[in-house]
Amino acid sequence: MAGLPRYLSLAPVLLFALLSFTAVLLIGFNWLYPDLLFHPLS
């Protein structure tokens, strides 16, 4: 139980980093290939 406060302070930081990384990937993909996320090639 000693590591629980450290985990609770680290988890939001890791979640923010993961969400930021995912957002950058989606923004970059949408910049390179516009409209593919909304009108897939089919």
Side-chain angles (χ1 to χ4, degrees), residues 11-30:
V13 174
L14 291 178
L15 182 63
F16 179 76
L18 180 65
L19 289 177
S20 299
F21 180 71
T22 305
V24 166
L25 282 181
L26 287 174
I27 291 168
F29 182 79
N30 205 20

Side-chain angles (χ1 to χ4, degrees), residues 2-15:
L4 187 61
R6 182 172 179 169
Y7 169 75
L8 289 178
S9 65
L10 183 63
V13 174
L14 291 178
L15 182 63

Side-chain angles (χ1 to χ4, degrees), residues 3 33-36:
Y33 306 106
D35 291 337
L36 275 184

